[in-house]
Amino acid sequence: MASSEAEAARSLLNAVAVRARAHEMLGLALAGQVEGWRVDLDRLPETARFVAGVIRDQYPDLKVPFHARWRHFVFGGDDLWADISAKAGFADADEQARAAFDLAIVSVLLDAGSGPGWRYRDQATGLEAARSEGLALASLRMFQAGAFSNAADQPLRADASELATLSPTELAEGFQVSSDNPLAGLEGRAALLNRLGDQAADRPDLFAIRDTPRPGGLYDAIRARAVDGRLPAPVILEVLLEALGPVWQDRLRLGGVDLGDTWRHPALKRDDATDGLVPIHKLSQWLSYSLVEPLMAAGIEVTDLDGLTGLAEYRNGGLFLDMGVVALTDPADAARPWPVSDPRIVAWRSMTVALLDRIAPMVRAELGVSAQQMPLASVLEGGTWAAGRRVAVTKREGGGPPLNILSDGTVF
């Protein structure tokens, strides 16, 4: 039984499962079989036109980069990581890629919501940033300063031993946290990096193939999956889900396998151990998108980028809710606090994945571009994520999410 359950669990740890169950959830909602929600696909064309307009505003040449952490290191056209990396004197392209993996993984895991009052003030540039951009800048400066390295002469690395012992006090110092500048979930962020360090040390087969244990060691594990220099993007996600599964706390397990960003919803019926389970893997997929560019820079051709799915987070999901594509059957639900595990939130996030698949070709048609010219990762960046942020400002003071979600900082 345990082995069959483990097999069933592993069947959920891929983008194909995320996409299939998301479209099933949307189909059930269209049939009125998902409690709490209704869907109006007639609102999708107007939403696509809005997204296309946002893309034209931001990228008049329609050359939209991928939705990835690297965008948050660019301020006023100045790419801070590119500047740092160019001056680092890496031994070769592989070492540069490991450093980029180190930074991307640590920075993405630190990117939970900051809370409304926190800001980061960068001494080197005078920049002041909040939200994801501020968290990215703070993590970049800590990385640049060697805060995660155990080698004084090699600051641009994140070692398992340093991550495993990083204290909330050290993180608070790096993120400029004070009573006047509070950061939500400080202890939880430090604990997540501690678990990342422990996991890297526990799995040298994934994190220490060519170096001592470090998140960047995943570069070698992923590179090894390439065939003739070509690597399908969904393989990146599959490696990440295996490698990072144990770092998430209080998540579902099946047959001894960590299921990560997978939740229960009664509408999805199966006659096996995956009955009612809805995989989403938002953070791991965003990290997968963020690892594409370092792999490409190291000479690996990343294929099937659209094999990954759209991201089920509150900007994309908020776009569809704010534009009326999806709606709560009881409007009062919008003000209630919802745990991320509640079926209403699970359904909303899952439907968001399917709706992103539906809107992407409509956006491309509005812009007159092909899927090759504008893959899903670019539609997200240009794009649905930016449009979700823009419409939120018109709906709610401060532009926050449309639902009151009680998140542990590892989902949104």
Side-chain angles (χ1 to χ4, degrees):
M1 174 64 79
S3 62
S4 63
E5 286 192 345
E7 269 184 49
R10 283 190 284 271
S11 75
L12 300 175
L13 299 180
N14 56 75
V16 169
V18 174
R19 178 167 272 120
R21 297 203 178 199
H23 283 277
E24 183 178 346
M25 183 74 77
L26 180 61
L28 290 167
L30 286 166
Q33 297 174 27
V34 174
E35 184 179 352
W37 290 102
R38 63 175 182 270
V39 182
D40 182 2
L41 293 183
D42 289 341
R43 302 286 300 169
L44 211 50
E46 180 185 347
T47 306
R49 286 191 290 273
F50 177 62
V51 173
V54 172
I55 292 175
R56 286 194 190 96
D57 285 348
Q58 296 196 118
Y59 300 96
D61 61 1
L62 302 185
K63 294 179 180 177
V64 187
F66 300 153
H67 188 58
R69 190 54 160 168
W70 309 109
R71 310 290 82 79
H72 291 153
F73 299 133
V74 179
F75 292 86
D78 187 11
D79 188 331
L80 300 182
W81 170 243
D83 294 343
I84 293 167
S85 183
K87 298 171 184 174
F90 292 114
D92 53 34
D94 291 336
E95 185 54 39
Q96 183 170 348
R98 290 185 197 104
F101 267 52
D102 275 336
L103 173 59
I105 294 169
V106 169
S107 187
V108 165
L109 294 191
L110 287 170
D111 192 45
S114 63
W118 179 83
R119 302 188 72 79
Y120 183 82
R121 297 162 181 84
D122 187 44
Q123 294 182 348
T125 62
L127 289 168
E128 183 173 308
R131 298 187 296 189
S132 282
E133 292 84 355
L135 294 166
L137 185 54
S139 61
L140 174 65
R141 293 310 190 198
M142 284 191 74
F143 185 72
Q144 182 183 13
F148 310 118
S149 171
N150 64 12
D153 60 338
Q154 297 180 56
L156 300 181
R157 56 184 292 135
D159 288 287
S161 56
E162 291 299 312
L163 293 171
T165 57
L166 185 77
S167 70
T169 301
E170 291 171 302
L171 193 60
E173 182 178 354
F175 277 63
Q176 301 176 351
V177 177
S178 68
S179 57
D180 295 329
N181 194 37
L183 177 65
L186 178 68
E187 290 77 11
R189 293 171 206 270
L192 183 59
L193 291 189
N194 295 159
R195 294 194 297 275
L196 173 63
D198 290 338
Q199 172 67 357
D202 288 344
R203 291 294 304 269
D205 59 313
L206 289 172
F207 291 93
I209 295 173
R210 296 279 184 271
D211 199 347
T212 52
R214 56 189 287 198
L218 285 178
Y219 163 74
D220 298 292
I222 291 173
R223 182 186 180 92
R225 311 292 174 99
V227 176
D228 296 329
R230 293 164 58 87
L231 178 76
V235 173
I236 303 171
L237 175 64
E238 289 163 24
V239 174
L240 286 177
L241 291 175
E242 179 185 358
L244 300 180
V247 309
W248 314 115
Q249 274 193 323
D250 304 321
R251 296 288 179 82
L252 296 175
R253 287 171 61 86
L254 180 63
V257 176
D258 294 285
L259 294 180
D261 188 5
T262 298
W263 310 87
R264 295 193 181 278
H265 196 286
L268 259 66
K269 304 295 186 184
R270 292 294 186 278
D271 58 3
D272 61 17
T274 68
D275 181 49
L277 293 178
V278 184
I280 297 176
H281 306 312
K282 175 260 171 179
L283 201 64
S284 296
Q285 294 211 72
W286 188 43
L287 185 50
S288 298
Y289 284 124
S290 298
L291 298 182
V292 168
E293 288 163 76
L295 287 163
M296 291 171 63
I300 298 170
E301 182 185 353
V302 179
T303 63
D304 191 19
L305 194 61
D306 280 0
L308 297 172
T309 78
L311 302 183
E313 41 79 60
Y314 74 82
R315 289 304 181 198
N316 290 322
L319 170 70
F320 296 121
L321 186 49
D322 285 336
M323 296 294 290
V325 179
V326 299
L328 292 160
T329 54
D330 181 359
D333 282 348
R336 296 188 178 111
W338 297 102
V340 292
S341 58
D342 189 277
R344 273 176 178 71
I345 303 306
V346 175
W348 176 50
R349 296 182 69 216
S350 186
M351 289 189 295
T352 295
V353 172
L355 288 167
L356 288 167
D357 275 349
R358 290 204 177 207
I359 203 172
M362 300 170 75
V363 171
R364 294 181 191 118
E366 287 285 336
L367 297 171
V369 298
S370 67
Q372 184 175 10
Q373 292 169 309
M374 191 174 290
L376 181 59
S378 298
V379 175
L380 296 174
E381 175 63 25
T384 56
W385 186 88
R389 177 183 269 190
R390 185 175 294 190
V391 72
V393 173
T394 71
K395 299 284 185 178
R396 290 168 297 281
E397 186 175 356
L403 298 178
N404 183 11
I405 301 163
L406 305 173
S407 175
D408 65 357
T410 61
V411 175
F412 292 100

